[in-house]
Amino acid sequence: MTDQRFLHNQWSSRLAFVLAASGSAIGLGNIWKFPYLAGENGGGAFVAVYLLCVAAIGIPIMIAETMLGRRGRQNPINTMLSLAQEAKAGPAWHYAGWLGVLSGFLILSYYSVIAGWSMVYILKMNSGYMSHISAETAARVFDDLKSAPEIQFIWHTVFMAATMLIVSRGVSGGLERATRFMMPGLFIMLILLDGYAMSSDGFGQGMSFLFKPDFSRINGESVLVAMGQAFFSLGLGMGAIMIYGSYLPDHVSISRSTIFVASADTLVALLAGVAIFPIVFANHLEPTMGPGLIFQTLPIAFGQMPGGSLFGVLFFVLVFFAAITSAIALIEPAVAWLSENQAMSREKACLWSGLSCWLLGLGTVFSFNLWSGNTWFGKNFFELVDFLTANIMLPVGGILVALFAGWIMRRETSETELEMGSAYNYWRFTIRYVSPLAVALVTLSAVGVI
Ligand code: PHE
């Protein structure tokens, strides 16, 4: 190992890792994306496939990716390189690290735009004019935002600048502090919204939409989307959890920590779904309305609650925090690589990666207005970047992690790192056979190869 192993920062405790990994996992993926994907892809059946993907594919890969990170203790590219050396495999494995850096970068470019929307909604809720808002007005308010590139431009810029500021302060300064207070708050707000949903007319219909699977409503592409969402939401296949694992002290149980994080992540997504769909049905809205779903439904709920403006502000502030703790995970691999390999200062690495990511994000801003007519394979710019990353690049990254951990890394190495006792064999079988085959089958069949 190089000296970097010792220079590389470490988390102050296991709790700090769990908080940071949850911060990376829990984000717009849970609150914004999961509900609208479930709405677009048939509800219950999508949710069932999603849960299966988290358990059978996501968790084993999450354990593997964290383990690779801790073993390598460097940025994803160098980690893959030195682990390949250790296992006497070829250096080409470091391309897996590259793929991850690129995926994180692409995802952050649009993630920042959507996080900007949530910042706009903090102000809108605060202005009070959302109180007793009708479904039509809520839809119009959202459409106005979507068709205003200049407003999205401003908030995308603000969000990206805030992210890079936190990232530039390094692991224990910025990252740990940012994650500590956000999650409990978010959890409480979601429970509050769920309470409101329970009292609404649409509750029964919302619940059966979400939890009563009707498998005739999904196809190969929805299964791919569900699997991609499992990767996206857990933050897998792109080196984020690998780099967080690289900051993890030895002898902390990787399996226990990751299962905890995955469960929390799934719970938050389900709580968000439970909050949203009753509102959809009570107001005769379409579950298939897409990325605007939470922005067009939740203001209606807040508008009817006593103290709703305050809760609405709080909620979108928490969404902002959830987004920023994921954003720092998305860009961390690129920044760590630039600063560790290119001898750039951390500040400079942040500046360059932030600037280029911001520039690419303008494509997403314009895809909702000026460029909405420009499509490739039937997808606009935002949809294309999203599809490529969540449904192709993250799963491919996940397969590579699984293959490396299961077939390339020596058995003794992973057995010592994981300290899982008898569960080890189960994990090893899954990571060698089940996860890579399942991911490959789903991806290939959805893109029409098989
Ligand atoms: N998991 C995050 C979310 O759900 C997004 C993310 C993806 C973060 C990949 C890190 C890596 O919003």
Side-chain angles (χ1 to χ4, degrees), residues 49 56 123 149 375:
V49 175
L123 301 181
T375 54

Side-chain angles (χ1 to χ4, degrees), residues 24-30 107 111 232-236 238 240 326 329-330 394:
S24 151
I26 299 173
L28 296 175
N30 309 61
I107 294 174
Y111 205 85
F232 184 87
S233 190
L234 296 172
L236 299 183
M238 55 131 300
S326 298
L330 284 163
L394 297 186

Side-chain angles (χ1 to χ4, degrees), residues 9-24:
N9 290 312
Q10 288 209 9
W11 298 111
S12 57
S13 65
R14 169 190 136 116
L15 178 70
F17 168 77
V18 167
L19 281 175
S22 319
S24 151

